[in-house]
């Protein structure tokens, strides 16, 4: 599957990103290589292969189930670039 520069510009526009011509060509080439690799991987025989979450067999780390008050709003808002009335303030994205 080949990706065109128009496709990259369309996706960039949807994501509200701006690429110059050099970046568009670079991303077009990189995404094309990724989709080509995905096509090659799709040709591999995987019948009978069980799904797995890790490449190595390992135990899932467990943490102790401890009850907390869960009131971490102030701590979370302390990391926000802008906060107002106890909420995150974000720039308007829909005009």
């Amino acid at each position: 599957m080949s990706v065109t520069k128009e496709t990259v510009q369309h996706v960039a526009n949807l994501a509200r990103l701006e690429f110059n011509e050099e970046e568009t060509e670079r991303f077009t080439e990189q995404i094309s290589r990724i989709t080509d690799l995905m096509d090659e991987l799709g040709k591999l025989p995987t019948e009978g292969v069980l799904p797995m979450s890790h490449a190595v067999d390992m135990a899932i780390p467990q943490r102790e189930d401890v009850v907390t008050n869960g009131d971490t709003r102030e701590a979370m808002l302390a990391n926000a670039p802008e906060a107002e009335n106890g909420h995150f303030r974000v720039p308007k994205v829909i005009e």
Side-chain angles (χ1 to χ4, degrees), residues 27-90:
F27 290 135
T28 301
E29 180 185 328
Q30 290 176 348
I31 295 170
S32 290
R33 283 189 291 164
I34 291 169
T35 56
D36 290 345
L37 177 62
M38 296 300 292
D39 288 342
E40 290 296 316
L41 290 174
K43 295 175 185 174
L44 294 173
T46 57
E47 294 84 25
V49 177
L50 296 176
M52 58 185 195
S53 60
H54 295 283
V56 294
D57 196 18
M58 60 183 285
I60 298 173
Q62 302 281 322
R63 64 174 172 79
E64 192 170 328
D65 189 15
V66 178
V67 177
T68 64
N69 65 3
D71 186 17
T72 58
R73 175 184 286 187
E74 293 303 319
M76 289 188 290
L77 290 176
N79 294 322
E82 288 187 54
E84 182 177 307
N85 298 328
H87 301 282
F88 290 102
R89 183 174 174 87
V90 296

